[in-house]
Amino acid sequence: MPAPSRARGLPGWALALPIALLTLIPVAAVIGAALSPQPEVWDHLIRHVLPRVTANTALLMLLVGLGVLCVGVPLAWLTALCVFPGQRFFAWALMLPLAFPAYVLAFVQMGLFEFAGPVQSRLRDWFGSSAWFPEIRGSLWGTVLVLTMAFYPYVYLLTRNAFVTQGRRALEAARMLGESAPRAFWRVSVPMARPWIVGGLALAWMETLADFGAVAVFNYDTFTTALYKAWFDLHNLGAAAQLAALLVLLVLVMAAAEQRSQRGRSYQVASSHCQPIVLRGWHRWVAFGACALVFAASFAIPIVQLVLWSLSTWREELEPRYWDFARNTVLLAVGTAFIATTLSLVLAGVRRRHADRITAWVVRLAVIGYAVPGVVLAVGVFIPIAWLDNLLIAWLRPLGFEGFQILKGSVATMLLALSARFLAVAYHASDSAMQRITRSQEETARTLGLGSWGLLRRLYLPLLRGGLLTAFLMVMVDVMKEMPITLMTRSFGWDTLAVRVFQLTTESMWENAAVPALAIVAVGLLPVVLIFQRAERIQGA
């Protein structure tokens, strides 16, 4: 997108830097807090917090990583290269758990498997006791199971695309050299798909590291829950900032690993003459059973349970306050989507007009917010906003202003934090659409006498309409599912559907939380459909 004529002489990085500051200022605020440590805070953290949360977080990431690999990679291979009953259905259905926020899946599983839940109640009816059933609240195994079911689609989706582009030629060559089918899979298909597998694993790890809602439901302490408790339970912003700085360091390491994994990706389009592997006998039913089991555990059973709970509580939940929650949710979602989409269009245009390395780095910095956990951005936004608030109050007090806050807890603050978090989602959709506009189209429009604003109005916006709509919808849905930023930056009583779910689940009111959760999941299905359609276009190319 051409820049306005008055900005034509500015370098690209100067145009992108103000947008990048939206993310860089909160991250810098957190890092600045780490560079000026408080000895008493660190002494408390080292003695009572860090050993436990570090061990819990490391163990959780290790086990969830193993889980998403063991689930995502085999299912990706089966649905990409094999033919068995239900294969076409499972190819897209196994992506549906992406519609479930991890905290929704967590409270559904908690409601099903806790002592008073239907599973243990039925076991007591059958066997007289369920004392031998493992405790789910505060358990590692329950948290790992939920996060594995919530995040395996990242590995599944990327790995399936890799297997689709490989085709069968490499496997056929390995079989001709005497390798059995399982050995050919492990020695040929998996190594060729390793960059995609590592990329999906890095995404799953970053989501695990950033998760707050699911671990809070299970009462399993990690960095995110420790940060929340330090701020809201202990009222110690300094301790929260120190924990946030450590979490930023871990996230940057994970983001660097994910970027490194992408460098090794190279696409080899499968030949249209390669026939899929037709599974026969018991193999076909094992493949069907594996896919059906994962689909049932990650989507079918939770969605059915949410519907059943909603049918029994909707009259109680659909009170006037519920519509306030829905209104607040839509306000935040639409406002953030508009801001993020507009900024992403500017970034994509700057990146197109300025191909220098400095501009590319500034654009990358502008979109790192998606890799930063929401709890960290909440702390990082609160620190400069609180400082600015105090400054404004000091200026306005001589004029008779007696308030104690201006910006803290405001909708504007939440919009800024959410825009920083989800700008990357809008940018990738906008930039992909921008790349489809050729230089020849732009040159032809210029020969017709169109200036910079004419090009924007007559050429770019009409051609970018689909990409911008996709960006808007995906950001809107992500904001509707987001919990920690809204929970930690809102003013008292200003609740959304996600915050309502958190409030009800902290009181173990699983049935009452089903109505707002079901609304969030229903909206969350939209980006899953878009992702599947895009994957199908890549496969058909």
Side-chain angles (χ1 to χ4, degrees):
M1 181 184 66
S5 58
R6 63 184 180 185
R8 190 182 300 276
L10 291 177
W13 64 266
L15 297 171
L17 184 59
I19 300 175
L21 291 176
L22 187 66
T23 301
L24 295 180
I25 289 177
V27 174
V30 169
I31 296 176
L35 296 178
S36 55
Q38 304 172 23
E40 65 279 4
V41 170
W42 273 109
D43 181 67
H44 171 78
L45 293 178
I46 292 173
R47 287 175 178 269
H48 304 289
V49 179
L50 284 179
R52 183 182 73 259
V53 300
T54 301
N56 286 354
T57 303
L59 185 58
L60 183 65
M61 291 181 65
L62 173 64
L63 295 180
V64 171
L66 291 174
V68 296
L69 289 177
C70 292
V71 174
V73 175
L75 295 185
W77 188 79
L78 286 172
T79 58
L81 297 179
C82 299
V83 174
F84 58 91
Q87 178 265 336
R88 292 181 61 85
F89 168 77
F90 289 123
W92 62 268
L94 290 173
M95 291 190 291
L96 291 179
L98 287 174
F100 266 94
Y103 58 84
V104 172
L105 194 60
F107 88 73
V108 172
Q109 299 293 357
M110 181 71 75
L112 287 173
F113 292 106
E114 67 174 353
F115 179 81
V119 172
Q120 290 204 52
S121 298
R122 184 58 58 89
L123 290 176
R124 288 193 294 273
D125 292 340
W126 289 347
F127 303 107
S129 173
S130 65
W132 47 269
F133 195 87
E135 175 63 34
I136 189 171
R137 189 179 297 272
S139 69
L140 174 63
W141 73 268
T143 312
V144 170
L145 175 64
V146 164
L147 294 184
T148 297
M149 292 295 99
F151 300 144
Y152 84 83
Y154 292 110
V155 175
Y156 168 79
L157 181 61
L158 292 179
T159 307
R160 186 175 185 275
N161 288 340
F163 288 150
V164 166
T165 56
Q166 283 179 13
R168 282 191 59 207
R169 285 184 173 177
L171 281 177
E172 291 170 350
R175 296 297 301 275
M176 291 176 63
L177 293 175
E179 297 283 6
S180 63
R183 285 176 61 85
F185 169 71
W186 288 110
R187 298 187 64 178
V188 177
S189 293
V190 171
M192 290 177 63
R194 185 177 297 138
W196 288 265
I197 296 173
V198 173
L201 177 61
L203 290 174
W205 267 343
M206 285 191 289
E207 291 288 347
T208 302
L209 196 61
D211 179 74
F212 167 75
V215 293
V217 168
F218 280 97
N219 197 26
Y220 185 82
D221 281 335
T222 62
F223 271 101
T224 54
T225 56
L227 192 158
Y228 180 84
K229 291 175 181 178
W231 189 355
F232 285 91
D233 293 349
L234 302 179
H235 304 287
N236 192 330
L237 182 59
Q242 304 297 325
L243 288 170
L246 291 177
L247 197 53
V248 165
L249 178 62
L250 292 175
V251 167
L252 291 177
V253 172
M254 296 302 306
E258 198 274 337
Q259 288 291 327
R260 185 177 181 85
S261 72
Q262 290 189 8
R263 294 177 186 174
R265 296 185 185 180
S266 61
Y267 292 85
Q268 178 182 356
V269 180
S271 169
S272 59
H273 300 291
C274 291
Q275 297 299 317
I277 301 171
V278 180
L279 300 182
R280 303 186 185 281
W282 61 272
H283 295 91
R284 61 203 304 252
W285 296 113
V286 168
F288 172 83
C291 293
L293 179 63
V294 173
F295 174 70
S298 61
F299 185 81
I301 293 176
I303 198 71
V304 169
Q305 187 62 64
L306 282 179
V307 171
L308 293 176
W309 281 340
S310 298
L311 290 175
S312 63
T313 61
W314 69 271
R315 289 185 178 86
E316 177 183 352
E317 277 300 306
L318 292 182
E319 56 177 335
R321 282 197 312 157
Y322 178 86
W323 304 110
D324 292 336
F325 304 149
R327 181 201 62 206
N328 294 342
T329 302
V330 172
L331 174 64
L332 275 188
V334 173
T336 304
F338 177 79
I339 294 172
T341 303
T342 303
L343 296 181
S344 71
L345 177 61
V346 175
L347 282 179
V350 169
R351 188 70 183 91
R352 179 181 177 88
R353 289 291 302 273
H354 302 272
D356 58 284
R357 184 172 299 180
I358 297 178
T359 300
W361 272 105
V362 173
V363 171
R364 286 184 182 180
L365 291 174
V367 298
I368 64 170
Y370 196 67
V372 180
V375 290
V376 173
L377 274 178
V379 173
V381 167
F382 184 85
I383 293 174
I385 287 294
W387 174 83
L388 184 58
D389 232 12
N390 294 334
L391 187 63
L392 290 174
I393 291 172
W395 286 349
L396 295 175
R397 186 171 290 119
L399 301 178
F401 180 78
E402 297 296 336
F404 63 93
Q405 68 179 38
I406 299 174
L407 298 176
K408 288 184 294 186
S410 66
V411 175
T413 298
M414 289 188 285
L415 288 174
L416 288 175
L418 291 168
S419 298
R421 177 80 168 89
F422 297 113
L423 178 58
V425 177
Y427 172 74
H428 291 309
S430 301
D431 187 58
S432 297
M434 183 75 73
Q435 299 305 321
R436 298 190 183 100
I437 301 177
T438 64
R439 297 291 182 182
S440 60
Q441 289 175 310
E442 181 178 337
E443 292 169 0
T444 301
R446 286 188 179 278
T447 61
L448 296 176
L450 293 180
S452 296
W453 292 110
L455 283 173
L456 174 63
R457 188 179 67 257
R458 303 281 297 276
L459 175 67
Y460 280 93
L461 289 181
L463 294 178
L464 292 173
R465 188 180 295 118
L468 295 179
L469 178 61
T470 299
F472 186 92
L473 292 176
M474 292 187 71
V475 172
M476 189 179 74
V477 171
D478 276 342
V479 173
M480 293 187 71
K481 296 191 295 183
E482 196 280 333
M483 177 196 294
I485 291 178
T486 308
L487 179 67
M488 298 172 72
T489 61
R490 82 198 197 285
S491 60
F492 179 77
W494 205 94
D495 299 333
T496 63
L497 292 175
V499 172
R500 179 63 174 167
V501 170
F502 177 81
Q503 293 169 339
L504 292 171
T505 54
T506 54
E507 300 175 6
S508 300
M509 301 175 66
W510 320 122
E511 295 88 347
N512 298 83
V515 172
L518 192 61
I520 294 172
V521 172
V523 176
L525 289 172
L526 177 62
V528 178
V529 174
L530 295 176
I531 291 171
F532 178 72
Q533 290 177 344
R534 182 177 180 183
E536 287 296 295
R537 287 196 298 268
I538 293 175
Q539 181 177 353

